Amino acid sequence: MNPFVPAITEALRDLSDAENAHWMRNYMREQYPFLGVKKPERHEVFQALYKQYGSSEDWYEVSTELFAMPEREFQYVAMDYVIKAKKSWDDRVPALCEQWIGEESWWDVVDNVAPKILGPYFLQFPAERDFWIQRWMNSGNFWLQRVCLVFSLGYKEKTDTVLLAKTIQALSSSKEFFIQKAIGWALRQYARTDPQWVLDFVGNNALAPLSKREALKHL
């Protein structure tokens, strides 16, 4: 076992706060247990211990072990560990992210995994993108479909607008809140790069009111 795992486990448990945990569970609709460690404290501990014990080569084993722990903070740390190991990524990344989303589906995991792990991964390994996007679009799992909408949030001028348009059009009739919101989010983000493209797209496509409102929020 990498010493990072017991070290981060002990450190976060020492920082646990029952009151914080109560409000964190409440915010997440009582779906997950929390230690009550807020993000700044968790990030500080993570950075210090990664510097001491972390390694990009063991990202798969360490992150898998951490993500299996019950408290949500360990799942956040698992994702942070993978992000740190970008130089050592291989073709296990998409399958691992798919597994995590399937096991612990909620927006906090999806919205971390998609733009911070899968987005950079598909830029690093572009030949794999279409296989996984098609797989997730066909899955019927709206969390995996949300990934297809938001993985490229940080792409700016590298955004594949053909793929973005095709994905939005395929999901535009969805009644699912998290899909409608993601459509608007993806368009709003790309509007920072090409506002005219977004205005034209919204004007020429039937979108849910929520999606349209989010897309045009800053235009």
Side-chain angles (χ1 to χ4, degrees):
M1 177 189 293
N2 184 307
F4 178 87
V5 175
I8 195 74
T9 301
E10 181 179 1
L12 292 183
R13 293 199 187 283
D14 286 345
L15 291 171
S16 62
D17 184 297
E19 184 174 356
N20 286 345
H22 166 76
W23 292 112
M24 289 176 175
R25 289 195 308 272
N26 183 264
Y27 181 67
M28 297 298 288
R29 301 184 184 179
E30 302 292 336
Q31 296 206 51
Y32 310 104
F34 281 85
L35 294 172
V37 182
K38 293 183 178 181
K39 184 176 180 178
E41 290 78 16
R42 187 186 80 239
H43 184 69
E44 183 178 354
V45 168
F46 171 81
Q47 291 286 74
L49 292 178
Y50 189 90
K51 185 176 182 180
Q52 186 174 0
Y53 300 116
S55 168
S56 63
E57 288 77 18
D58 61 5
W59 62 269
Y60 186 87
E61 292 76 18
V62 170
S63 65
T64 299
E65 186 172 356
L66 288 167
F67 202 89
M69 295 183 182
E71 292 87 1
R72 202 62 162 171
E73 287 90 344
F74 293 117
Q75 290 153 25
Y76 298 151
V77 170
M79 292 182 281
D80 289 342
Y81 203 95
V82 172
I83 292 167
K84 275 280 195 182
K86 183 177 180 180
K87 292 181 179 179
S88 297
W89 285 351
D90 56 41
D91 60 7
R92 292 174 294 178
V93 167
L96 181 64
C97 292
E98 179 185 84
Q99 177 185 332
W100 285 353
I101 292 168
E103 290 176 352
E104 295 292 345
S105 298
W106 199 243
W107 63 264
D108 59 335
V109 167
V110 173
D111 294 356
N112 202 6
V113 161
K116 295 182 180 179
I117 299 178
L118 291 169
Y121 179 84
F122 289 139
L123 287 179
Q124 192 172 335
F125 303 98
E128 294 192 31
R129 187 197 69 179
D130 290 351
F131 168 81
W132 289 101
I133 295 300
Q134 183 176 10
R135 173 185 172 93
W136 296 333
M137 286 294 289
N138 293 339
S139 68
N141 181 322
F142 71 82
W143 290 118
L144 290 173
Q145 292 170 342
R146 183 175 168 98
V147 168
C148 301
L149 290 164
V150 303
F151 78 90
S152 60
L153 287 178
Y155 280 18
K156 298 181 181 179
E157 69 281 351
K158 295 179 181 178
T159 301
D160 183 340
T161 53
V162 173
L163 177 62
L164 179 62
K166 180 181 177 182
T167 304
I168 292 173
Q169 289 163 346
L171 296 171
S172 61
S173 62
S174 172
K175 304 300 182 185
E176 172 54 52
F177 169 83
F178 287 103
I179 292 296
Q180 293 183 7
K181 189 83 169 179
I183 289 172
W185 186 15
L187 290 170
R188 184 176 75 246
Q189 189 69 13
Y190 187 59
R192 300 174 185 271
T193 299
D194 191 343
Q196 190 59 52
W197 187 93
V198 173
L199 285 169
D200 291 344
F201 183 86
V202 172
N204 293 321
N205 289 272
L207 300 177
L210 172 61
S211 299
K212 186 174 182 179
R213 186 166 63 251
E214 289 291 322
L216 301 178
K217 184 175 285 187
H218 302 308
L219 294 178

